[in-house]
Amino acid sequence: MRWKGLQNLKKLIGISYLDLQINGSWDLITNAENNQYLKTLEKLEYLNSKIKEITGESNTYTIDTDINSKFSFKGVNSSFYNRLEGQINTGKMMEKFHQKITEKGIKCLFGIEVKKLESTNNNVHIETSIGEIKALKVAICTNGFAKQFLPDQDVKPARAQVIITKPIHNLTLKGTFHYQQGYYYFRNIDNRILLGGGRNLNFEGETTTDFGQTEQIQDSLKNLLNNVIMPNKKVEIDFTWSGIMGVGTTKKPIIQQIKPNISVGVRMGGMGVAIGSLVGQKVAEIL
Ligand SMILES: Cc1cc2nc3c(=O)[nH]c(=O)nc-3n(C[C@H](O)[C@H](O)[C@H](O)COP(=O)(O)OP(=O)(O)OC[C@H]3O[C@@H](n4cnc5c(N)ncnc54)[C@H](O)[C@@H]3O)c2cc1C
């Protein structure tokens, strides 16, 4: 779905508006992860053959042991390199998307909270923070916030905390990096580093729809930045923010009709940029 979703997104928005750059990605392996490394190594050929069945591309993953000399990391032993992973500018993506729907005459009402939905045979009553709206059909696409309308479904919020550095002079780091089995993620944005993760330090605390930061996770991000990613340079943090993902026991999204004239497309599993446009299409079809 991620592969197909990204092809769809490229068609829908256009490559130039996405600022798409295929700089590749590296799954970093530390000394402590040697067993995991060997297990993954055994399966690499199998993984590549399965990826080829979907994408038609051979040898997507290769081993890159030269990682430290390329990027001067500390404590990183080896890496798996994915030559196909890319980076996009999601701000520009949303800007273009909004422009496209406005051109089609679709109205966006911002800053209004939906409190309650009541479905009748002919339409849906939507109780909002500014009064009632009637609709013929409703698609619930609130992802990590969806429990409010779907109390019995397997979907919960997962907060992700992120930091962005100030511009770094002569930054050589270019691409996307996954650390500790993907619980941490970092990439360059021009000459800055964006770094997020650490949810595994406190799953319970990060199962929340409240935006915000915690000392424990902010410290772990700063520690990773200063001691592993940029051990030889003093870098300063410019911004911190958080976002809410929608997760469940499976990685598949929930796409279904739940009541007459009401359907849902939620639980993107932290992959909604890649798969969101496909999920949207499917929800529209079942509506
Ligand atoms: C730090 C971070 C990094 C990520 N990285 C990637 C990545 O590399 N690749 C990738 O594919 N995905 C990534 N994701 C996931 C991706 O951002 C999400 O899957 C995607 O944004 C989900 O889009 P959505 O429109 O379904 O939901 P959202 O963007 O969460 O939108 C839901 C909206 O519903 C609103 N809402 C909720 N309840 C109500 C209510 N009662 N009334 C009115 N409005 C309501 C919310 O305010 C919100 O604006 C990342 C997410 C985070 C947080």
Side-chain angles (χ1 to χ4, degrees), residues 112-115 141-145 148-149 160 162 185 241 243-245 265 268 270-275:
I112 299 171
E113 190 189 348
V114 175
K115 304 263 192 197
C141 302
T142 52
N143 200 29
F145 304 85
Q148 177 192 6
F149 301 115
V162 179
Y185 165 104
W241 64 280
I244 313 294
M245 301 178 288
M268 301 295 133
M271 305 175 292
V273 175
I275 69 173

Side-chain angles (χ1 to χ4, degrees), residues 113-115 117 140-151 153 155-160 207-212 242-247 264-268:
E113 190 189 348
V114 175
K115 304 263 192 197
L117 293 167
I140 301 176
C141 302
T142 52
N143 200 29
F145 304 85
K147 203 84 195 168
Q148 177 192 6
F149 301 115
L150 309 167
Q153 294 271 7
V155 56
K156 48 185 187 178
R159 183 171 64 190
T207 304
T208 174
T209 50
D210 294 338
F211 295 94
S242 68
I244 313 294
M245 301 178 288
V247 299
V264 299
V266 297
R267 193 174 70 194
M268 301 295 133

